[in-house]
Amino acid sequence: EAQVTQNPRYLITVTGKKLTVTCSQNMNHEYMSWYRQDPGLGLRQIYYSMNVEVTDKGDVPEGYKVSRKEKRNFPLILESPSPNQTSLYFCASSLRGDRLPPTGELFFGEGSRLTVL
Amino acid sequence: QKEVEQDPGPLSVPEGAIVSLNCTYSNSAFQYFMWYRQYSRKGPELLMYTYSSGNKEDGRFTAQVDKSSKYISLFIRDSQPSDSATYLCAMESGGGADGLTFGKGTHLIIQP
């Protein structure tokens, strides 16, 4: 089954304790992205990757790191989480093509709900 | 500017009604317009997309873009309880370098 898999789905942590949210896709998509979704603010892009070893900042990159060493994986790293990073996080990968918008058709994971105390 | 405005709702309508969901935007560079549907506790999924102005129909769903007014709409005919979800509009410019800009989403409830 084609899917984007995120782990963990739920996490409660404390300020300053490094954590990684993993993301893996099995569709051979080149484009991958991380979003956070907050009430009243909607979906905002954190980082994206056009291909292996190519990453770039989105709209809200502060406090986050990413890496893209393999095509299928795009982990999100919070080196020193703070309470304002409490949010619902989505990883997405994209099928791109001539008959699609430039970003393509985004396939989202089921989300990772993070609480930082 | 990248702002996209979307009424958060909730919008509650009876089953079978025609639903109209709308977004307005300010960036005239946007050329691609999408609607994503998000069920509770799930990630968004692409419903429809249109390029530039015009209409696009897919079953019970019609997407409409009016670039002169910077206004896009999604119409749902014969609405069903299974259409209850949050609908997010999204848009981007032709270059693709800026990525997608999402609206905040409209929470739709179809009452049986």
Side-chain angles (χ1 to χ4, degrees):
Chain A
E1 180 188 355
Q3 59 186 1
V4 178
T5 304
Q6 299 178 223
N7 280 296
R9 295 287 313 282
Y10 301 92
L11 179 63
I12 300 174
T13 190
V14 295
T15 299
K17 186 176 181 181
K18 180 180 177 180
L19 69 94
T20 299
V21 186
T22 64
C23 174
S24 181
Q25 52 95 4
N26 62 1
M27 295 170 278
N28 201 37
H29 289 167
E30 292 181 344
Y31 182 97
M32 297 186 73
S33 183
W34 276 102
Y35 292 85
R36 59 178 289 175
Q37 188 174 39
D38 301 288
L41 295 175
L43 272 170
R44 294 178 292 167
Q45 190 178 52
I46 303 170
Y47 269 95
Y48 65 95
S49 170
M50 302 288 277
N51 212 328
V52 175
E53 301 292 359
V54 180
T55 63
D56 212 342
K57 296 177 180 179
D59 296 320
V60 288
E62 295 79 17
Y64 305 94
K65 284 176 58 177
V66 293
S67 67
R68 188 88 182 276
K69 292 181 170 50
E70 306 166 282
K71 197 173 189 178
R72 63 184 290 127
N73 296 322
F74 190 44
L76 179 70
I77 303 156
L78 285 73
E79 293 271 4
S80 182
S82 62
N84 65 12
Q85 293 179 297
T86 292
S87 186
L88 178 59
Y89 291 87
F90 286 101
C91 179
S93 68
S94 173
L95 172 67
R96 307 174 80 191
D98 290 340
R99 297 175 63 84
L100 290 168
T103 299
E105 177 180 354
L106 286 172
F107 290 83
F108 285 85
E110 298 213 320
S112 296
R113 185 166 293 281
L114 171 65
T115 301
V116 183
L117 302 175
Chain B
Q1 358 30 333
K2 296 181 68 175
E3 193 169 72
V4 175
E5 299 289 339
Q6 187 176 10
D7 187 331
L11 175 63
S12 184
V13 302
E15 184 177 353
I18 296 175
V19 175
S20 172
L21 303 168
N22 311 295
C23 289
T24 60
Y25 64 95
S26 54
N27 187 350
S28 57
F30 288 142
Q31 295 188 57
Y32 296 86
F33 304 90
M34 286 137 277
W35 287 95
Y36 279 81
R37 178 175 62 195
Q38 184 176 18
Y39 290 115
S40 180
R41 304 187 191 281
K42 297 288 187 182
E45 56 180 349
L46 181 65
L47 197 57
M48 296 182 70
Y49 91 91
T50 52
Y51 170 68
S52 195
S53 287
N55 292 0
K56 187 173 185 179
E57 190 173 317
D58 184 1
R60 297 184 295 110
F61 298 88
T62 300
Q64 194 171 78
V65 175
D66 182 349
K67 288 190 70 179
S68 62
S69 301
K70 296 189 178 65
Y71 188 89
I72 70 170
S73 300
L74 178 70
F75 298 96
I76 307 174
R77 291 184 300 281
D78 188 25
S79 55
Q80 304 293 312
S82 59
D83 295 327
S84 298
T86 296
Y87 289 80
L88 303 141
C89 64
M91 45 198 79
E92 65 177 327
S93 62
D98 293 333
L100 283 176
T101 299
F102 282 90
K104 294 178 176 53
T106 298
H107 181 44
L108 174 66
I109 301 167
I110 308 297
Q111 303 165 339

